[in-house]
Amino acid sequence: MKNIFSIYHPLVIFTYIVSALAFAMLTFNPVYVILSFYIGSLYSIYLLGIKKYISTLKFGVVLFIVVAIANPMFNHQGLTVLFYNPWDNPITLEAFAYGLSSGGMLVSIFIWFNCYNGLINNDKFMYLFGRILPTIALMLSMIMKWVPVTKNRISIINNSQKSLGLGVNMGTKKQKINRCIRVTSILMSWSLEDSIETADSMKARGYGCTKRTSYSVYKWGTHDIISMFIISLLVIVNGVLILGGYSTYEYYPTFSGNLFGVANLFAYGLYIILLAYPLLLEGKEEIVWKLLKYRT
């Protein structure tokens, strides 16, 4: 079965993905940034396919370029001056490198959120937070669902308008503008009506009461307990190593920090194991499956 990690308990999955996101934000060490981007990319492609990954990466590349260029333009710290801009401000190598690292970190975060969408659906999210924070959980669940639902509705409206000869790409410029306004108006009306129906439905079902059940009941198994222990241990050890300064790398006023010491390599190895844990599970299952086939 592809993506066996998705059948694990929602708390195990949520702990893993939040840990990956948190560590992606904790350090600007270039090695950590590259590892987060590379492993996140592999897992995103495995979960959602290359097309979805490329569509996410397109926006990420634009963001990366903007940050990489903007930082040296507005931040003039650093001792290695590359050249001066038209306003006689120095463009330094350190500021440019920091911009690259910042841009890479932001792209990695987008990719890991893409993995989050592939692992955590609304049902799992509501299971985790519906009892603790029912109102906030419902709002966040609706927000996360809003983007794909809206895209689908726009496609439905456009197709229906085309069948009537009123497509947004047909006619003069004035007609196109009027038809875009019509599509937007239909979409807003549809969304508002759906929101009202959802609110009334949830109220009628007693949503927000202290005692409520979940649509799906997730039970802890041996594999969940083992994985939760391993992930928690890796999170603690990686957190201690990062907060203890083993990932520290300074860009200003000049580059300083050991990227490839023995302790650094040990920290990188544990970080790789944490991020690649679901892929390692998939590899283990594949090996076990092939061995069983070979024996039979």
Side-chain angles (χ1 to χ4, degrees), residues 10 44 247:
S44 178
S247 68

Side-chain angles (χ1 to χ4, degrees), residues 190-215:
W190 193 354
S191 299
L192 289 172
E193 184 180 354
D194 184 65
S195 299
I196 294 170
E197 289 178 355
T198 302
D200 291 341
S201 176
M202 299 305 289
K203 184 178 180 181
R205 296 175 185 179
Y207 187 84
C209 298
T210 54
K211 293 182 180 180
R212 62 182 300 272
T213 58
S214 298
Y215 177 76

